[in-house]
Structure formats: structure tokens, C-alpha cells
Amino acid sequence: MKLYYATGTCSLSPHIVAIEAGIALELERVDIRKIPRITETGADYARINPNLYVPALALDDGTILLEGTAIVQYLADLAPASGLAPPAGTMARVQLQSWLGFIATELHKVFSPWLFHPEYGAQAQDVARSRLAARLDYVERQLGDGGQYLLGGTFTVADAYLYTVLSWSEVAKVDLGAFPQVRALLASIGDRPAVREAIRCEAQRQAQ
């Protein structure tokens, strides 16, 4: 399988999940700074994902999977013993999907585009940061005292996604100081070997 990715974007999440699951992926970087968007092998990315954003996952049979929340669940289900996603049909799986939806709509889509496009103006960015603070307060309360991961004691694809999105906080000038449980969770995730490996791999390829 091949993962189309761009360094510093949400495509880090499925990359982490694949390493956690022990799934080998071919990586192909997409230049998202230009239109038309061209991959490192010279392919027109619009032919792969007409929406033009990453990630996209090309399966061995030629099927292209889009949307990060779907891709991470697909990868997790390929390696059920990894525990990265609870079994389909369980309440735990529904709770996982609830977190993925929350991260996608209430966090990811507030960071991007609002905080990554200064042309929207300072007022729009202030509103975005205020909204993020309210949503992060919800995450903080759900974690409680000493809650290790979003679904309790087991690292899941939702944690990989949350880590990826909140890794943008420093660049986007989002202050996490009021959320000690969130910061502890991010530190714990950042120490995982798979996370360090995914980041190292993408940085190394970017430098080539």
C-alpha cells in the first residue's frame, strides 16, 4: 500500500498508525504548496485525490481511500491484535468514532484553515483560538485526573489523530498552558517509538 502524505499535515496520523500496527507502507510525498499538486514521482495528485489534500491511501488492488479518519480505522482493522481500534459493533468502537469526529470537526477544522491563513485577519484567528480553548477544555475534562488515553488505558487511532492536530499548537500560537491533562497526554504519545519513527522518517525524507 502507498500513503500519499505531506510533512506537517494530518497525514502524520495514518503514518503513525501504520507503524504502530506493523504495516509496511510505501510513502509518496505531495507538494501541497503549489497548484497543480505534484507528487515526488511527478504524478498529478488531482488524479489520485480530486480534493487535493492529504492523506490518501492506495491499496494493492488500486482502490484509493480518502479521509484520514477512515484510513486510520482501515489500517487498525488490518491489525486487530494491535488494539488500535475496538472491534466493529461494540460501544467502544462507537466511542472511538465519536472522538475521531470531534477531533476532525471541532479541532482540526479550526486549526486549518483559520489559523494557517493570516489573510483571514486577526479577528478570525482570535475567534478560532477562543473556540479551540473551549473544545480543549472539554478534552481536558474527559481525560480527568491521570487518564492516559482518550479511551482509557489503550492507545488508539484517536490518540494518534489528536496528537497530530495538537502538534500544530506552537506554530499556530495556541496556548495549551491551561490544559495539563492534554499536555501530559501529548507528551506520553510523543514518547511512543512509532510516533518518533514516523516524525523522523518524514523529516529525513523532507531533507533529501
Side-chain angles (χ1 to χ4, degrees):
M1 294 184 290
K2 179 186 292 185
L3 178 68
Y4 292 91
Y5 80 101
T7 304
T9 72
C10 60
S11 58
L12 176 64
S13 175
H15 191 181
I16 291 170
V17 169
I19 296 173
E20 289 275 358
I23 297 171
L25 292 181
E26 181 182 352
L27 299 176
E28 185 155 350
R29 190 170 63 249
V30 181
D31 188 348
I32 61 171
R33 298 166 300 176
K34 301 176 182 177
I35 298 292
R37 293 197 168 151
I38 305 299
T39 76
E40 63 183 302
T41 64
D44 181 358
Y45 189 59
R47 294 181 175 273
I48 299 159
N49 182 359
N51 296 320
L52 297 180
Y53 51 72
V54 292
L57 183 68
L59 306 188
D60 293 340
D61 66 0
T63 301
I64 303 292
L65 295 184
L66 304 179
E67 303 302 327
T69 56
I71 291 170
V72 294
Q73 290 180 83
Y74 175 80
L75 292 171
D77 287 340
L78 291 179
S82 68
L84 289 165
T90 64
M91 183 53 65
R93 183 59 169 251
V94 175
Q95 291 169 338
L96 174 77
Q97 291 168 333
S98 177
W99 272 117
L100 289 172
F102 176 86
I103 296 165
T105 59
E106 300 295 335
L107 299 178
H108 187 168
K109 289 305 178 185
V110 180
F111 272 97
S112 179
W114 301 108
L115 297 181
F116 293 149
H117 288 273
E119 65 269 23
Y120 291 151
Q123 182 177 5
Q125 295 198 334
D126 287 344
V127 170
R129 292 190 180 95
S130 177
R131 178 167 179 169
L132 274 173
R135 298 303 183 258
L136 288 170
D137 182 65
Y138 170 78
V139 178
E140 181 79 6
R141 288 184 284 109
Q142 294 303 305
L143 289 172
D145 293 328
Q148 188 175 8
Y149 298 114
L150 291 175
L151 265 65
T154 303
F155 177 85
T156 70
V157 298
D159 298 295
Y161 189 20
L162 180 70
Y163 176 85
T164 297
V165 171
L166 293 187
S167 69
W168 305 331
S169 295
E170 184 174 354
V171 171
K173 299 180 181 178
V174 173
D175 185 6
L176 300 180
F179 312 108
Q181 297 298 331
V182 171
R183 287 187 284 110
L185 174 60
L186 297 179
S188 174
I189 296 171
D191 283 339
R192 295 179 70 86
V195 175
R196 295 198 302 267
E197 172 61 17
I199 294 171
R200 184 203 63 78
C201 176
E202 293 191 10
Q204 185 179 60
R205 290 173 61 90
Q206 183 77 10
Q208 291 175 351

